[in-house]
Amino acid sequence: MDTIYEGALAKINLTLDVLGKRGDGYHDLQSIMQTISIRDDITLHLGTGEPWKLVCDKDWVPTDERNLAWKAAKVFFETLGKDPNGLAIEIVKRIPGEAGLGGGSADAGAVLRALNRYYDSPLSVYALCELGAQVGSDVPFCTLCGTAMVEGRGERLRKLPDIPEMFFVVCKPDFSVSTPELYQKLDETAIAHRPDQRAMEAAIAKGDLAEIADKLGNVFEPVVISQHLELNYIKSILNSYGSYGQQMTGSGSAVFGIFDSFEYAAVACTMLKDNYSEVFIAKNA
């Protein structure tokens, strides 16, 4: 039996725009995504000689073929025509669920990277991302990691320059948002402000932290805030303690703030922990 390890990095959306509904029922997206250092840990045991199994330290995570990590392994082995002779997946979960941080997708991406490495990298990273698209919309980016423009359903990726080192305070409030319901509401809403993708790309190319923070934009955020005003409270705390910019990630409900120093981030984190149990400090990764 062989054992391999891989970290699964959370993602945030620096920009997120929904361009419209497609004929297949999905939506076309345009988003600049960034991986951050909040991570799950994935352990794979190959050659167990037993039926596949998945275990996780959090009881809300599915431990069967519904899990995206399981699906990713299945797609990998089917595509390469290989049989691991038994597989066990262990997940140590730190990325909050239903937060817009891509936790399940991060796990799937980590499984794809780990298996590809184990078999001496038969697939390029972009071929691996294409496999990820069969598993879930955020999986291609969570396989690639770093900074990237993501388009379509998530399957079209363009790598961008790395952003400068910055610190993120991420706060997951106690409520979650139904993504399908949110899309439906967005379809019925006139979008007043869309993120300026070109301006964000220019800020990233310059490596200007303040400008990156200034160009944040997520079309889902006003829709969620209209029902959950406490997101404004979280944003105000982040702003009060030195955040350059703050925004909801993905379809929510986690909010992040951008800081230029660990010290300021730590103070904001401490203040939020008075009211919220899931508050993290992270760096871009």
Side-chain angles (χ1 to χ4, degrees), residues 69-272:
W70 183 305
K71 288 182 179 181
K74 186 169 183 285
V75 165
F76 181 88
F77 287 116
E78 285 177 350
T79 301
L80 268 67
K82 293 183 180 294
D83 180 357
N85 185 29
L87 177 70
I89 303 172
E90 297 175 11
I91 302 175
V92 175
K93 200 85 188 139
R94 299 185 190 89
I95 304 171
E98 299 182 323
L101 294 166
S105 300
D107 297 344
V111 166
L112 290 174
R113 288 194 306 273
L115 290 175
N116 198 49
R117 187 175 68 245
Y118 176 78
Y119 287 103
D120 296 324
S121 303
L123 298 176
S124 71
V125 66
Y126 285 102
L128 212 56
C129 293
E130 286 181 22
L131 286 193
Q134 299 178 43
V135 180
S137 297
D138 286 336
V139 179
F141 172 73
C142 289
T143 303
L144 179 67
C145 298
T147 314
M149 168 63 82
V150 181
E151 297 181 277
R153 265 187 64 200
E155 78 281 5
R156 300 207 311 272
L157 303 172
R158 178 163 51 86
K159 199 89 169 76
L160 298 177
D162 293 336
I163 62 172
E165 180 179 270
M166 56 185 75
F167 296 88
F168 299 89
V169 173
V170 181
C171 177
K172 164 67 170 69
D174 296 332
F175 69 89
S176 297
V177 180
S178 164
T179 302
E181 285 179 21
L182 191 54
Y183 272 108
Q184 188 176 344
K185 288 191 178 112
L186 196 67
D187 288 338
E188 299 163 356
T189 305
I191 298 174
H193 299 289
R194 295 183 181 273
D196 188 334
Q197 309 284 8
R198 287 187 179 180
M200 178 60 88
E201 282 202 45
I204 289 170
K206 283 168 61 179
D208 188 322
L209 181 154
E211 207 167 315
I212 290 168
D214 185 58
K215 301 305 179 190
L216 295 173
N218 180 349
V219 296
F220 284 126
E221 186 182 82
V223 183
V224 177
I225 285 177
S226 69
Q227 297 178 295
H228 300 280
L229 289 174
E230 72 174 293
L231 292 191
N232 276 336
Y233 169 76
I234 295 169
K235 290 176 70 176
S236 71
I237 294 292
L238 291 167
N239 183 60
S240 297
Y241 289 93
S243 167
Y244 280 72
Q246 47 282 324
Q247 176 172 281
M248 188 183 80
T249 180
S251 56
S253 59
V255 173
F256 66 89
I258 295 176
F259 294 81
D260 63 2
S261 76
F262 178 82
E263 288 74 21
Y264 281 111
V267 173
C269 186
T270 300
M271 299 307 296
L272 284 166

Side-chain angles (χ1 to χ4, degrees), residues 1-132:
M1 185 174 75
D2 291 336
T3 300
I4 48 178
Y5 305 93
E6 185 74 14
L9 298 172
K11 64 85 183 165
I12 56 170
N13 301 80
L14 298 175
T15 64
L16 177 52
D17 198 1
V18 178
L19 305 182
K21 198 169 185 178
R22 301 155 32 137
D24 60 6
Y26 290 97
H27 289 73
D28 273 318
L29 306 177
Q30 195 175 43
S31 176
I32 295 175
M33 296 191 190
Q34 174 66 48
T35 41
I36 59 175
S37 58
I38 302 171
R39 58 180 271 179
D40 295 345
D41 284 326
I42 309 294
T43 305
L44 301 177
H45 303 287
L46 292 93
T48 62
E50 298 177 358
W52 285 27
K53 72 172 184 177
L54 187 149
V55 295
C56 181
D57 63 336
K58 298 290 190 292
D59 58 13
W60 49 266
V61 174
T63 55
D64 55 20
E65 60 274 4
R66 293 172 298 158
N67 190 291
L68 295 187
W70 183 305
K71 288 182 179 181
K74 186 169 183 285
V75 165
F76 181 88
F77 287 116
E78 285 177 350
T79 301
L80 268 67
K82 293 183 180 294
D83 180 357
N85 185 29
L87 177 70
I89 303 172
E90 297 175 11
I91 302 175
V92 175
K93 200 85 188 139
R94 299 185 190 89
I95 304 171
E98 299 182 323
L101 294 166
S105 300
D107 297 344
V111 166
L112 290 174
R113 288 194 306 273
L115 290 175
N116 198 49
R117 187 175 68 245
Y118 176 78
Y119 287 103
D120 296 324
S121 303
L123 298 176
S124 71
V125 66
Y126 285 102
L128 212 56
C129 293
E130 286 181 22
L131 286 193

